[in-house]
Amino acid sequence: MWYRSASFILDKQEQLRNDAVTDDAESRPHSPASTAMETAENHNANISMYYQTRSAHHGVVTSDWLAQAQAAVAGNSDAAVLENNVSGGKVKDKKLSVVDEFNNWRKQPELAEAVAAIRALAWVIRSSQATTMMELEIELKKASDSLKSWDTTSISLTAGCDLFMRYVTRTSALDREDFSSAKSRLLERAEKFGEISYKARRIIAMLSQDFIFDGCTILVHGFSRVVLEALRTAAENKKMFRVLCTEGRPDRSGLRLSNELAKLDIPVKLLIDSAVAYSMDEVDMVFVGADGVVESGGIINMMGTYQIALVAKSMNKPVYVAAESYKFARLYPLDQKDMEPALRPIDFGVPIPSKVEVETSARDYTPPQYLTLLFTDLGVLTPSVVSDELIQLYL
């Protein structure tokens, strides 16, 4: 279970406001389009959609993982073929849903999942047929809820949608303008938020350059696009450094990162995950990404991040985190089990007896005391400042 901290005193008021909107929405007749928007399809209940997405975007995956993703895609294709056959080969006039638009944006491998959701929500405003601000806000909230339910385990997706709703709708000017002007203002703010989110990775890469020095050795864990961008920028700036990549089992995402670094002619060494403590003497800093940044200043990230931070702390090595502000979530995990699990398939290469329990959790929580700095598009932050930044983001 996740807990929200007491610092957000507006939670109850927000809940009352949401209840009022929900009651108003339930009193209206539901159209087929809105019903479709409310339904988020999950192809396989045994694996989080977040990790089905990663299998599609990452080139190095296990056979079981790839099969899961292919089965999901095939399921969609078969459904489309069946629908086409039933209709006699004629293309039906089906209205595009926000999830469809989200999936279209998600096809771009370099586009973060949360940014794809932000683009899809901006599309909802642009294509809306609403005639009042109340109708538009209800439609936008339904679209946001649909995206969040698409994968309830994705922290960045939920946080991105919540921040979008706060950023776009929290302006008093909307109450004083006619609907056409208010909608244009809403769309303008949506597009601006999308651009800010899209450029976040580049901003973080630039901010991190002062901490990457000539001759340093950097330990990274898993595949993070923002970490890759920071290392690419450092290489473009002619800095001389080398990288130690953990393998990142079970999806071997570290293999992909090492391949990308090799293409950039960055010296890279691949480690098995259990060799972190053995190699820590060579390391000058640890550099990781994050699935989410929580109110305490800690991070939720790929399984193994916590133990790397523990080893680094014990050996006085700084741990740097690169994370976009749309990953800042109003969550307060108390321990490792205080999280909604994001499950992933585990391939040990040999049959596992049915009586043997397998841990399938995909991520862990690293408390703030083991982190040194967070590189974000809001600036370089200490973990203790994160709570204040969250308040500013959500107010």
Side-chain angles (χ1 to χ4, degrees):
M1 178 148 192
W2 293 86
Y3 295 89
R4 302 181 186 276
S5 77
S7 64
F8 293 94
I9 59 176
L10 297 177
D11 274 348
K12 187 173 182 180
Q13 296 177 0
E14 183 70 17
Q15 184 61 49
L16 293 174
R17 186 159 49 249
N18 289 341
D19 291 343
V21 171
T22 302
D23 293 340
D24 187 25
E26 289 177 350
S27 66
R28 299 171 181 268
H30 290 276
S31 65
S34 64
T35 303
M37 188 176 293
E38 290 173 352
T39 304
E41 183 178 5
N42 192 333
H43 299 288
N44 193 322
N46 296 322
I47 173 175
S48 302
M49 286 299 299
Y50 173 77
Y51 289 97
Q52 294 185 31
T53 302
R54 288 176 68 99
S55 68
H57 286 178
H58 294 3
V60 184
V61 295
T62 63
S63 57
D64 285 352
W65 199 324
L66 185 59
Q68 292 275 7
Q70 289 174 338
V73 174
N76 279 341
S77 301
D78 293 343
V81 171
L82 179 61
E83 183 179 358
N84 192 46
N85 290 338
V86 171
S87 61
K90 296 180 181 179
V91 179
K92 292 189 175 182
D93 184 17
K94 181 181 177 181
K95 185 175 180 181
L96 199 65
S97 73
V98 66
V99 176
D100 294 329
E101 181 69 12
F102 168 67
N103 284 325
N104 288 337
W105 282 104
R106 220 166 38 88
K107 291 175 183 177
Q108 302 181 28
E110 293 304 311
L111 198 66
E113 190 175 80
V115 178
I118 290 166
R119 299 291 196 195
L121 290 172
W123 169 84
V124 170
I125 299 174
R126 191 181 304 109
S127 60
S128 174
Q129 301 299 315
T131 57
T132 66
M133 279 306 301
M134 178 62 73
E135 290 177 1
L136 181 56
E137 288 189 22
I138 291 174
E139 185 177 350
L140 200 55
K141 185 179 185 304
K142 286 182 178 180
S144 175
D145 291 343
S146 294
L147 289 175
K148 289 191 289 187
S149 63
W150 180 82
D151 184 4
T152 57
T153 67
S154 176
I155 299 173
S156 62
L157 178 60
T158 298
C161 289
D162 289 344
L163 283 170
F164 177 91
M165 295 295 292
R166 290 276 183 172
Y167 183 87
V168 170
T169 61
R170 290 304 174 104
T171 170
S172 59
L174 297 179
D175 298 329
R176 301 192 295 269
E177 298 177 344
D178 61 274
F179 176 69
S180 178
S181 299
K183 182 178 178 181
S184 298
R185 178 73 65 88
L186 215 62
L187 183 58
E188 179 184 341
R189 290 174 67 85
E191 298 287 358
K192 181 179 179 182
F193 187 75
E195 285 303 312
I196 292 172
S197 301
Y198 181 74
K199 294 176 181 178
R201 193 180 304 161
R202 185 62 185 164
I203 295 172
I204 294 170
M206 297 303 296
L207 289 174
S208 66
Q209 296 310 297
D210 290 339
F211 298 85
I212 301 175
F213 53 89
D214 282 329
C216 70
T217 298
I218 305 171
L219 175 66
V220 298
H221 180 57
F223 184 88
S224 166
R225 283 177 291 227
V226 66
V227 169
L228 176 59
E229 182 67 22
L231 297 178
R232 179 188 290 115
T233 302
E236 291 172 352
N237 292 338
K238 308 300 181 182
K239 292 190 176 183
M240 304 299 295
F241 61 95
R242 71 179 186 129
V243 179
L244 304 185
C245 277
T246 59
E247 180 187 10
R249 289 275 294 166
D251 66 323
R252 300 190 181 98
S253 55
L255 282 176
R256 184 190 178 202
L257 182 59
S258 64
N259 292 340
E260 294 295 329
L261 294 174
K263 292 176 184 177
L264 299 171
D265 293 325
I266 297 175
V268 58
K269 181 179 180 181
L270 196 61
L271 307 176
I272 58 175
D273 292 334
S274 54
V276 168
Y278 172 83
S279 303
M280 191 60 74
D281 275 339
E282 306 174 39
V283 173
D284 293 298
M285 69 187 75
V286 176
F287 201 2
V288 296
D291 289 347
V293 180
V294 298
E295 291 186 49
S296 64
I299 63 169
I300 310 295
N301 196 40
M302 178 181 179
M303 183 65 74
T305 304
Y306 180 37
Q307 61 192 23
I308 291 174
L310 282 170
V311 173
K313 180 74 171 180
S314 69
M315 300 180 72
N316 295 317
K317 308 291 184 178
V319 179
Y320 299 133
V321 179
E324 301 90 335
S325 60
Y326 56 72
K327 293 181 178 179
F328 283 33
R330 297 175 66 183
L331 303 170
Y332 206 110
L334 301 177
D335 54 38
Q336 297 300 323
K337 299 301 186 291
D338 195 18
M339 297 186 287
E340 183 174 355
L343 305 179
R344 63 184 178 188
I346 307 293
D347 182 9
F348 290 99
V350 294
I352 304 298
S354 59
K355 294 183 179 180
V356 175
E357 183 180 359
V358 177
E359 177 61 66
T360 58
S361 297
R363 59 196 181 193
D364 57 26
Y365 165 60
T366 304
Q369 61 265 32
Y370 301 107
L371 306 177
T372 307
L373 291 172
L374 291 92
F375 303 140
T376 79
D377 48 302
L378 303 176
V380 180
L381 310 177
T382 61
S384 61
V385 176
V386 168
S387 183
D388 292 336
E389 292 296 333
L390 269 163
I391 292 174
Q392 294 300 319
L393 282 172
Y394 280 96
L395 279 179

